Each structure stands twice: as C-alpha cells, then as structure tokens.
Amino acid sequence: MKKLILIAAASLFVCAAASAQGLKFAHVNFNELVQLMPEMDSARVQLEASQKEIQDTYQSMIAEYNSKYAEYGEKQATWTQSVRESKEREIMSIQTRIQEFEQSSQQDLAQMQNTLMAPIYQKAQDVVTDLAKAQGFVYVFDSSQLLYIDEAQSTNLTQSAREALNIPADRTMESLQAELQARAQAAQQ
C-alpha cells in the first residue's frame, strides 16, 4: 500500500513538473508604463495647478496672520481690553483656519491624485492583461518590484505595452525626469 502511494505521489510530481514546463511567464515595468503614459502628463499638470492654488491660498493666509499679529504687537498697549481681546480672538481664528486649511488641502490633493490616477492605472493594467491573454502568458510580473528576472525564461512585455499605450519610442524615464526638472526650474523663476 505504501509503495502504491509513493508511486502515485511520484507520478503526480512528474506530471506537475512536466506541465509547469509549458507555462509561459512575462514581465513588464509597470511603473515605467504609468509614468510615461500621455494621460499621466495631464494628471501631473492638474495636480501641479491645484498644488499652486493651495500654496497661493496658504501664503495669503500666512500674510494675513502676520499682518494681524504685527498690528497686535504694535498697538496692543493703546487698545482697550475689549479691542485687545477681539484682536486676540481674530488672530487665534486665523491660526485655526490655517491649520484646518492645511489638513483639508492635503486630503483634497490625495483624493484628487487618487481620482486622476485610478483610470491611468486601470488602462495600463487592461493593456498588460490583454497582451498577456493574447500571447498565452500564465503570469505577468512587475519588473519594477522584482530583484531578479531570468530574461531567457520570461518575456518582456514592456515595449509591446508602450506601443499599445501610445507612448512615444523616444520617451524614457530619463527624458521625463529632465522634463520635470526643467518645468520645476521654470516655475521657480
């Protein structure tokens, strides 16, 4: 009986190993795809515009606070008790508004980023899934998350996915980085 179980287990192992030989694996640099997609450019522009609006509003609030605080420092000795207390409440109110604005603006930016990014990630995911199904791959790994890939046993789908997503051939992570740095420098001037 033991001999029969051992033979069955060995047969099962050999069958499993043989069928595993026919599995096809692929990999794709998903982060690169998402970052280089044309849709990501418009999302970046929208996020940057919102960040600038938030920064401008924040600076305006800080300027108002500094102005009121400076006025308080200069004139508090000449004010009556009721005027001084009113100005103190006003300054505290501005501080509270600034803190609330900081918190809500960060939440708004995070929500906006999620809203803008979700369809971009989904589009990239759909393209990779369609390519994998069409070519009969069992697994597609994200090469940006792996330490090692044996190129001889795994097909790189990144270029095919780039073409399907209309990413220009000359667009690379390096060119994107240079573009973003140039944009940041232009914004500072």
Side-chain angles (χ1 to χ4, degrees), residues 6 15 38 66 99 123 134 137 148 179 187:
L6 286 173
C15 288
N66 289 338
Q99 290 171 348
K123 182 177 180 181
F137 293 107
Y148 172 76
E179 180 184 318

Side-chain angles (χ1 to χ4, degrees), residues 7-168:
I7 292 173
S11 301
L12 188 59
F13 179 77
V14 170
C15 288
S19 67
Q21 296 292 330
L23 297 179
K24 291 173 62 178
F25 302 98
H27 60 278
V28 64
N29 189 330
F30 196 75
N31 184 49
E32 177 183 315
L33 291 177
V34 170
Q35 293 301 315
L36 297 178
M37 287 174 63
E39 294 89 339
M40 184 59 121
D41 292 337
S42 64
R44 275 190 205 95
V45 168
Q46 289 178 353
L47 282 169
E48 287 170 5
S50 292
Q51 287 172 331
K52 181 162 178 19
E53 286 176 12
I54 287 170
Q55 186 64 27
D56 291 347
T57 302
Y58 179 76
Q59 292 300 327
S60 173
M61 293 171 85
I62 293 294
E64 178 187 9
Y65 172 80
N66 289 338
S67 172
K68 299 286 184 181
Y69 190 77
E71 178 188 23
Y72 178 83
E74 291 172 11
K75 298 180 180 178
Q76 72 171 333
T78 62
W79 288 334
T80 65
Q81 177 73 22
S82 62
V83 171
R84 191 170 45 251
E85 288 173 0
S86 173
K87 296 295 184 177
E88 288 170 358
R89 281 192 302 273
E90 185 177 8
I91 290 170
M92 284 190 263
S93 172
I94 294 170
Q95 284 177 320
T96 302
R97 281 191 359 244
I98 290 172
Q99 290 171 348
E100 289 171 353
F101 178 77
E102 285 178 310
Q103 291 172 353
S104 67
S105 64
Q106 292 306 314
Q107 291 171 351
D108 290 346
L109 276 177
Q111 183 178 358
M112 180 182 200
Q113 183 174 7
N114 289 339
T115 301
L116 291 171
M117 298 301 292
I120 295 170
Y121 278 101
Q122 188 60 53
K123 182 177 180 181
Q125 177 68 47
D126 291 346
V127 163
V128 170
T129 300
D130 291 346
L131 286 170
K133 285 181 180 179
Q135 295 180 36
F137 293 107
V138 177
Y139 295 103
V140 177
F141 299 97
D142 182 358
S143 63
S144 65
Q145 303 291 321
L146 296 175
L147 298 176
Y148 172 76
I149 296 174
D150 184 349
E151 294 280 339
Q153 296 184 39
S154 178
T155 303
N156 190 345
L157 291 179
T158 304
Q159 186 58 40
S160 299
R162 285 176 59 104
E163 292 168 6
L165 291 167
N166 298 318
I167 298 172

